[in-house]
Amino acid sequence: MTVDRRALISGFAAGLALPFFRADAAGRMLAASSRAAGREPSELAGDEAYWSQIARAFDSDSTLVNLNNGGCSPAPSHVLEAMIRDLRFSNEIPVHHMWNVLEPRIESARRGLAAEFGCDPEEMAITRNASEAMETLTLGIDLKPGDEVVLTNQNYPRMITTWEQRARREGIVVKKISFPVPPPSPADVVDRFRQAMTPRTRVIEVTHITNLTGQILPVREIVRMARERGVEVFVDGAHAFAHFPFKRDELDCDYYGTSLHKWLLAPIGTGFLYVRKEKQKKIWPLMAAPPAMDENVRKYEEIGTLPAANHNAIAAALAFHRGIGAARKAARLRWLRDRWARRLAAADPRFRILTPLNDTESCGIALVHVEGIDTEKLQAFLWEKHRIMTTPIVHPEFNGLRITPNVYTTPDEIDLFCDRMEGALRKGLT
Ligand SMILES: Cc1ncc(COP(=O)(O)O)c(C=O)c1O
């Protein structure tokens, strides 16, 4: 039996997935994993017989082409149904069904996420999104006026805003470094952080993979360089977890926040915050918790009443993710990326790909700049005329269309996008 097939079946046996998995979804996953048995992820990456089974787990509207899965992804139908089922059940008598029956099951989602990320469950808090996870860190660490924080100007805008609010309110100093797209090397990015640090630097915030170009940054090297100087590193992994394979120990990080409604394909309103056990005492929760919870990771979940349904459906999304296998998923996403990005790059030099197309510095997200065409008008043209959804990225230093396919994206959809892009260069936006 292959590892992924075994993981899927043992997921059922452990009760991780069974209540959530519709029989047909489970059957389809098992059929797909038989087809995958013993084959390398790269060999399977272009096998439509396998990926069309995966695509059938989603109720996506095939009259639309969704190439903005980075913003927020649809969940597989059975994952969504698990959430809806729990919402209905809660609604019968919320004070009992939601609080007493469903809420305690958060522990199973916590265990599953911790195993996937490679940390102890006591280091894993479930949040509603990456913003909540990252703002818990940003607003939760004690800093004095004059203390410095180093970010890049490609960090997520809401995260930058949060630091800048602290600067306005408390007099901390926020320094933003810039780096080229793509950077000349991972070491160059580490150097830029190193050069921005001073004896007053207390925190670095780095994005694991940027939402702008899909550049994967050298987190482990930044963490190690900063740790030698006693500087904390907050890692914003909103787009990284369940997108490409990695474990906590490979990053060696103490803090990590992510959304689960992007690449894990969990329902909207799910994320996690990891804080290494010995660091928990120094990070205050966003909403207050008693001193007895100072070293309890659940203090970050003290946010009042919320639906248990969303976070419990994480278990179904995790089982789906493991059923595919993290390495196979990443290989497919890179295969889809290469199909459009290499075709456009070869078609015309006015298409400039601002993301390195390799296996270590990017995965399913990439950015294309089109010389001579306004990015926002191009995005509107693709959506309004052709029902192809992309994201316009307009940064002071570069701009382009961000393209993010997903596991259900077909080669035909990618080809249609390329045809329309080449047409736009030939004929303009008409
Ligand atoms: C790098 C990064 N950080 C944080 C976020 C915020 O995610 P959410 O809106 O799910 O909280 C995003 C969203 O796209 C992001 O790309």
Side-chain angles (χ1 to χ4, degrees):
M1 213 191 301
T2 62
V3 175
D4 290 335
R5 196 173 158 85
R6 201 178 302 125
L8 188 68
I9 291 168
S10 70
F12 296 159
L16 179 71
L18 249 190
F20 305 130
F21 239 88
R22 273 195 335 220
D24 57 336
R28 212 171 285 134
M29 281 303 287
L30 287 172
S33 73
S34 298
R35 188 171 173 85
R39 296 169 69 198
E40 286 298 312
S42 57
E43 200 190 323
L44 200 65
D47 180 344
E48 296 317 308
Y50 174 80
W51 291 103
S52 62
Q53 292 290 330
I54 301 298
R56 287 171 61 200
F58 295 80
D59 283 323
S60 44
D61 178 345
S62 3
T63 66
L64 309 173
V65 178
N66 186 357
L67 297 178
N68 180 10
N69 288 277
C72 202
S73 177
S77 312
H78 66 279
V79 175
L80 185 70
E81 277 174 22
M83 183 185 79
I84 294 169
R85 182 205 57 197
D86 281 359
L87 281 174
R88 286 192 202 289
F89 178 63
S90 297
N91 205 43
E92 289 169 9
I93 174 162
V95 292
H96 181 263
H97 287 178
M98 186 174 71
W99 281 342
N100 298 343
V101 180
L102 296 179
E103 191 51 45
R105 295 190 195 163
I106 195 173
E107 296 305 323
S108 131
R110 188 189 316 285
R111 275 197 308 278
L113 289 172
E116 193 64 29
F117 183 65
C119 70
D120 191 281
E122 293 304 317
E123 300 175 315
M124 175 63 65
I126 296 181
T127 63
R128 290 167 293 184
N129 48 48
S131 302
E132 184 177 33
M134 294 308 297
E135 292 201 33
T136 300
L137 298 172
T138 308
L139 300 173
I141 188 163
D142 286 330
L143 293 173
K144 294 193 286 299
D147 282 351
E148 293 175 4
V149 175
V150 181
L151 326 174
T152 81
N153 64 8
Q154 293 187 45
N155 285 35
Y156 192 65
R158 182 177 296 110
M159 273 56 264
I160 297 178
T161 301
T162 311
W163 285 113
E164 289 180 340
Q165 180 175 293
R166 273 201 86 164
R168 293 204 308 281
R169 191 173 177 187
E170 297 165 60
I172 66 163
V173 177
V174 178
K175 290 186 162 181
K176 281 179 275 176
I177 60 170
S178 165
F179 61 89
V181 289
S185 67
D188 175 81
V189 180
V190 184
D191 264 354
R192 287 168 190 260
F193 273 108
R194 189 182 287 113
Q195 280 161 23
M197 289 167 71
T198 75
R200 295 300 308 261
T201 306
R202 298 286 172 266
V203 183
I204 285 177
E205 183 188 280
V206 62
T207 25
H208 191 177
I209 171 170
T210 73
N211 66 302
L212 303 172
T213 67
Q215 175 79 41
I216 299 175
L217 293 173
V219 168
R220 184 181 44 194
E221 291 69 21
I222 293 167
V223 167
R224 290 190 176 161
M225 180 270 294
R227 190 175 282 142
E228 278 170 18
R229 294 160 171 78
V231 171
E232 307 292 349
V233 178
F234 295 167
V235 186
D236 179 350
H239 274 284
F241 181 73
H243 177 177
F244 49 91
F246 66 91
K247 292 284 183 200
R248 187 271 312 268
D249 286 349
E250 289 162 45
L251 304 179
D252 200 15
C253 59
D254 296 323
Y255 310 91
Y256 198 94
T258 192
S259 294
L260 301 172
H261 42 232
K262 294 182 186 288
W263 295 95
L264 185 65
L265 314 177
I268 293 163
T270 50
F272 80 62
L273 168 64
Y274 149 79
V275 182
R276 199 184 285 278
K277 190 76 202 157
E278 53 271 31
K279 300 283 187 180
Q280 287 170 16
K281 205 160 181 204
K282 69 191 281 187
I283 305 291
W284 296 88
L286 266 186
M287 293 197 198
M293 292 185 82
D294 271 359
E295 291 176 82
N296 182 343
V297 80
R298 292 164 195 77
K299 70 181 176 179
Y300 304 120
E301 296 167 359
E302 285 292 302
I303 60 168
T305 304
L306 82 165
N310 301 46
H311 60 61
N312 284 0
I314 291 170
L318 265 173
F320 184 75
H321 175 72
R322 291 192 195 131
I324 297 177
R328 283 192 200 126
K329 180 168 167 178
R332 171 65 168 185
L333 293 170
R334 289 188 171 117
W335 185 90
L336 292 167
R337 173 202 70 191
D338 285 352
R339 189 175 178 103
W340 71 262
R342 292 192 190 280
R343 171 173 158 183
L344 292 186
D348 196 301
R350 285 174 291 172
F351 290 123
R352 283 203 293 118
I353 308 296
L354 300 181
T355 308
L357 303 181
N358 61 44
D359 286 358
T360 53
E361 288 182 90
S362 74
C363 190
I365 305 176
L367 188 75
V368 54
H369 171 80
V370 188
E371 259 172 56
I373 301 189
D374 178 85
T375 292
E376 285 176 331
K377 288 188 182 143
L378 180 58
Q379 191 273 345
F381 162 81
L382 289 171
W383 176 241
E384 284 159 20
K385 289 246 157 116
H386 302 294
R387 290 287 166 240
I388 301 173
M389 181 58 83
T390 61
T391 332
I393 297 289
V394 180
H395 185 274
E397 295 167 8
F398 55 90
N399 67 78
L401 282 188
R402 186 187 76 183
I403 306 303
T404 48
N406 210 329
V407 290
Y408 60 81
T409 305
T410 66
D412 285 352
E413 291 176 323
I414 295 287
D415 295 347
L416 180 71
F417 162 71
C418 291
D419 291 346
R420 296 298 172 255
M421 289 285 276
E422 290 175 12
L425 261 196
R426 268 197 318 273
K427 297 184 275 181
L429 305 181
T430 53

